[in-house]
Amino acid sequence: MHSFRYRDGSLHCEDVELGALADAHGSPLYVYSAATIRDHYRRLDAALGELDHHIAYAVKANSNLAVLRLLAAEGADFDIVSGGELFRVTKAGGRAAGCTFAGVGKTREEIEYALREGIYCFNVESEAELRFIDRVAGELGERAPVAVRVNPNVDAGTHKYISTGKSENKFGVDFQDIEALYARAEAEMPNVALRGLQMHIGSQLTSVQPFVEAVEKVAPLAAGLKAKHGIEFFSIGGGIGIIYEDSLASGDRRWWEEGARGDARPLTVEEYASAVVPVLKPLDMKILFEPGRFIVGNAGVLISRVLYKKRGRAKTFAIVDAGMGDLIRPALYQGHHDIAPVKEPSGEAETVDIVGPICESGDFFAQDRVLPELAEGDLIALLSAGAYGFVMASNYNSRPFPAEVLVDGADAEVIRKRQSYDDLVAGEAV
Ligand code: LLP
């Protein structure tokens, strides 16, 4: 479910008109729907109902404090990958004691900070890191709760940059080496407490098959580690894919793309749950899930205004005021984002490239896309931009970060101010 739809001739987020938000707060502008975020969290939680489960929202997908606060209020825990994310979680009112800390390169400062805050578990990605955590914990007179991330060598069938569960990826410890590593930890590392086992095979998975394959392969390992070392949880990571095509709410099929697509089908949480729960339930362990994109992806859009139209010999370009610095997914992963005019279109369609102002040929949002004819000054919405959108923004070309707004019913709050030029140079010295 999501809450972006045309009403009275213009695109709304819940009860708020997007054009009015852009007029009030400028563009480019990220807009998120609180109702959609809550709905996705609750649907996943309900689908996993019969398992002893915890949802550790992957903060990296969208780490705005207001989004974290909203999820904490729903009862979410958090999967973090840096000291900065831990800081955000606690600042937003989330529990450090519910945080799992992933990532291949944790620093001493981050490990000490997480120990001081009392996180739930470090998800460890190598033996070297495990030994280092043992040392740091020992120096602080603490015992660090740890889980090792197993790399199950399963093909997630997703873009190679967001595929993590194959032996050639930098993530986790090879499946065959896990048992020996837990034995060494037990024997040689007195300052770690073996608390769980973790895996994550990749992101934006649109088929349930790789999840099933990985869970079936790793569940017996988890059972063995529970019997031998008394681990209490098994985290199966995140990765549930969303639809990026045909992503407007049903009933709003766009006439300008009639017949072009229409077969896009999301991986539903019910489908996901009914495939993995039967394998996980017999383990009789706490099962962790680390969804990011599923919770927030379809809950956000990036609004941008057309600055210029340019008709070249080969192509027509609509140059907009958002660029790859605001949303890098098309440039980095050839990611597709549907584009919808904010004012409901009725005229002619044309084939255009939607490009940003940044001095890079990779700065585009769409190439040869059939869209309703856009005029200078028109607003567009880049859909499904709630995950890995703002969080991956950069100031390249010295362009300030856009503002972010959270809509809840008829209410709309700025949850991050647009950066000013002073913000851009803050901390620099001549
Ligand atoms: N857990 C771990 C250990 C992860 O590395 C990730 C994502 C997640 C959970 C959450 O995965 P999700 O449910 O969101 O698929 N920037 C890329 C995605 C990078 C994902 C990195 N890890 C993109 O825009 O597609």
Side-chain angles (χ1 to χ4, degrees):
M1 165 267 185
H2 72 71
S3 308
F4 295 90
R5 49 175 55 81
Y6 287 112
R7 198 197 285 175
D8 307 325
S10 68
L11 197 57
H12 283 61
C13 173
E14 303 188 26
D15 296 329
V16 176
E17 207 246 307
L18 292 174
L21 285 182
D23 289 342
H25 306 294
S27 60
L29 182 72
Y30 273 98
V31 181
Y32 311 121
S33 155
T36 307
I37 297 174
R38 281 191 206 104
D39 174 69
H40 288 174
Y41 179 85
R42 288 175 192 174
R43 266 181 45 209
L44 180 60
D45 197 35
L48 299 170
E50 42 170 310
L51 277 183
D52 174 11
H53 68 277
H54 279 258
I55 298 177
Y57 166 69
V59 173
K60 62 169 84 70
N62 186 323
S63 57
N64 185 287
L65 293 179
V67 170
L68 300 182
R69 161 83 49 134
L70 194 157
L71 284 165
E74 289 294 307
D77 284 319
F78 298 94
D79 184 60
I80 56 171
V81 289
S82 68
E85 287 191 351
L86 177 54
F87 181 75
R88 284 180 176 277
V89 168
T90 52
K91 192 125 183 130
R95 311 184 301 148
C99 284
T100 47
F101 191 167
V104 297
K106 302 173 192 78
T107 64
R108 171 183 284 273
E109 291 71 26
E110 289 177 318
I111 294 165
E112 288 179 352
Y113 176 35
L115 282 170
R116 278 199 311 275
E117 291 290 324
I119 64 161
Y120 176 62
C121 198
F122 290 94
N123 290 340
V124 175
E125 307 243 10
S126 63
E127 176 159 2
E129 183 197 333
L130 188 59
R131 290 191 182 276
F132 187 61
I133 290 176
D134 177 57
R135 203 168 91 207
V136 175
E139 286 167 17
L140 295 186
E142 302 252 2
R143 203 139 182 253
V146 295
V148 175
R149 174 169 178 175
V150 51
N151 183 325
N153 196 25
V154 165
D155 190 354
T158 183
H159 188 278
K160 65 176 178 181
Y161 284 6
I162 53 177
S163 186
T164 53
K166 291 280 284 174
S167 299
E168 58 264 36
N169 299 127
K170 70 178 175 183
F171 299 99
V173 171
D174 288 322
F175 181 81
Q176 301 84 329
D177 299 328
I178 291 285
E179 282 178 332
L181 180 57
Y182 276 68
R184 282 200 294 285
E186 182 103 31
E188 302 165 19
M189 303 176 215
N191 310 307
V192 299
L194 296 169
R195 187 167 264 186
L197 178 70
Q198 198 267 351
M199 72 174 186
H200 170 76
I201 57 172
S203 198
Q204 183 52 18
L205 275 69
T206 50
S207 143
V208 84
Q209 205 40 48
F211 288 120
V212 173
E213 199 186 322
V215 166
E216 281 179 347
K217 182 167 180 183
V218 177
L221 178 64
L225 295 172
K226 179 187 170 199
K228 229 188 212 146
H229 303 286
I231 66 168
E232 66 185 39
F233 80 86
F234 176 28
S235 170
I236 72 160
I240 305 172
I242 62 168
I243 39 174
Y244 281 97
E245 302 191 15
D246 239 357
S247 54
L248 269 188
S250 54
D252 281 322
R253 267 195 68 76
R254 289 140 303 154
W255 55 265
W256 65 91
E257 285 185 335
E258 206 58 66
R261 281 196 290 270
D263 54 355
R265 220 183 114 263
L267 168 61
T268 66
V269 281
E270 292 75 21
E271 206 182 327
Y272 171 79
S274 59
V276 299
V277 169
V279 191
L280 295 167
K281 184 124 172 93
L283 288 176
D284 197 20
M285 293 171 79
K286 193 192 292 186
I287 306 294
L288 264 56
F289 295 83
E290 304 166 5
R293 190 187 322 257
F294 170 75
I295 304 286
V296 290
N298 288 137
V301 299
L302 175 60
I303 307 290
S304 182
R305 201 178 284 281
V306 178
L307 297 172
Y308 304 106
K309 282 294 280 292
K310 171 160 144 176
R311 289 181 205 284
R313 301 213 167 217
K315 290 201 172 212
T316 298
F317 297 97
I319 300 157
V320 301
D321 64 2
M324 64 192 283
D326 306 302
L327 177 64
I328 204 176
R329 301 194 69 265
L332 197 55
Y333 316 108
Q334 295 78 47
H336 172 99
H337 287 264
D338 272 355
I339 295 173
V342 167
K343 197 161 146 304
E344 190 165 11
S346 54
E348 295 290 302
E350 65 177 351
T351 303
V352 281
D353 279 21
I354 307 288
V355 303
I358 291 177
C359 305
E360 299 268 351
S361 292
D363 181 28
F364 60 81
F365 293 119
Q367 289 181 308
D368 299 317
R369 183 84 60 94
V370 178
L371 284 174
E373 217 170 318
L374 292 166
E376 292 174 6
D378 283 355
L379 290 168
I380 58 166
L382 293 144
L383 304 178
S384 310
Y388 308 109
F390 184 93
V391 286
M392 295 182 79
S394 86
N395 287 133
Y396 184 42
N397 280 202
S398 285
R399 294 165 38 81
F401 289 148
E404 296 174 283
V405 168
L406 181 65
V407 169
D408 198 355
D411 195 40
E413 300 283 344
V414 175
I415 55 171
R416 180 172 173 128
K417 281 197 308 195
R418 185 175 305 282
Q419 269 189 328
S420 66
Y421 289 153
D422 279 329
D423 295 332
L424 266 186
V425 298
E428 292 183 33
V430 272

